[in-house]
Structures are given as structure tokens and as C-alpha cells.
Amino acid sequence: MNEVGLRYYCYRCGRKNELQLPCPRAPEFHHSELRCTHCGDETRVMLSQCPNPDCNGSFVYWINDLSIPGLVENFAKYMTTNMQSLIDRAAKEGVRISIDTVDKFTIPAACPCGNKFNIEIPIPDLD
Ligand SMILES: [Zn+2]
Ligand SMILES: [Zn+2]
């Protein structure tokens, strides 16, 4: 798998961190925890490489204290719980509803090369 050099400035102390991280090609992504080498502040990063074969290896990334894949998973649980109560209520009233469950969550991204692509986070099967 490709590795990329990521340089970021810590949100807490403002100092520079330089890392080498694995970076799969979109729609795959890499998610990992970061720890500032100066103050120890922890954050998370999600990154993915532009799939355009003519691109010079650019990548996109999101730095956030929250785990984006974790958010998707929690949201999926919330959705499933709420859909289930909706389905139960509809069943009591003699209504049949069918719901297409998506199996991935898509995040649109744009590369400096002009290419637009998606990152896909698999949604766990929560049956
Ligand atoms: Zn720091
Ligand atoms: Zn690109």
C-alpha cells in the first residue's frame, strides 16, 4: 500500500507534526489516531488517495477529534433502532413498508487535480 507524508499543525499547541501514513486509493481509506509529538494531544485522521491515474499522487484527508467511521457506525445503530420502531408501528396499523438499507456511507471528495471521487465507509450489518 502507498504511504504518504502528512504534515499537520496540532490544534492544541500549534506545532508541526510530520508523519508517514498508509494511504489506500479511494474509495478505500485509512483511519488512524494521531498523537502530537510535542504536547501529546490526540486526534484522528482519515485519508485516501485520489484514484485518478493521471494524478500526481495527491490525497485528501480529514482531521477530527471524532472517529468518522465510528460516527457512521453509531449513526447506523441509531437509524436501525429508529427504523425498527417505525416498521413495528406500521405493522400494527397494517401497513407494509420496505426499506432499502444502504451498506456504505459515501463521503464526496475533490482532489486538487480536479478529480471528484467518493470515499466509502462500510456500514456494519446490524440485523
Ligand atoms: Zn500539540
Ligand atoms: Zn487527483
Side-chain angles (χ1 to χ4, degrees), residues 6-124:
L6 175 72
R7 185 187 303 148
Y8 82 101
Y9 293 88
C10 174
Y11 291 158
R12 192 158 90 184
C13 72
R15 294 169 75 183
K16 187 167 76 176
N17 287 278
E18 303 212 44
L19 304 145
Q20 284 292 121
L21 293 170
C23 187
R25 209 168 270 270
E28 305 278 298
F29 63 91
H30 173 76
H31 182 254
S32 65
E33 311 218 334
L34 306 179
R35 174 186 275 269
C36 176
T37 52
H38 308 288
C39 73
D41 192 42
E42 287 180 358
T43 186
R44 294 183 167 94
V45 69
M46 194 170 102
L47 69 174
S48 183
Q49 187 154 40
C50 176
N52 177 3
D54 298 327
C55 185
N56 62 356
S58 290
F59 62 99
V60 294
Y61 65 94
W62 294 262
I63 290 182
N64 202 302
D65 282 351
L66 299 169
S67 159
I68 297 171
L71 274 182
V72 169
E73 185 170 334
N74 286 330
F75 185 66
K77 281 180 187 145
Y78 170 83
M79 282 291 290
T80 316
T81 311
N82 281 275
M83 282 193 314
Q84 193 55 53
S85 65
L86 192 71
I87 292 166
D88 291 348
R89 206 178 325 143
K92 275 188 206 126
E93 291 165 15
V95 182
R96 276 181 62 94
I97 52 175
S98 69
I99 294 167
D100 290 332
T101 43
V102 290
D103 59 1
K104 51 187 183 262
F105 181 82
T106 303
I107 299 176
C111 179
C113 77
N115 188 30
K116 292 193 192 319
F117 55 95
N118 292 317
I119 315 297
E120 292 173 353
I121 301 178
I123 295 175

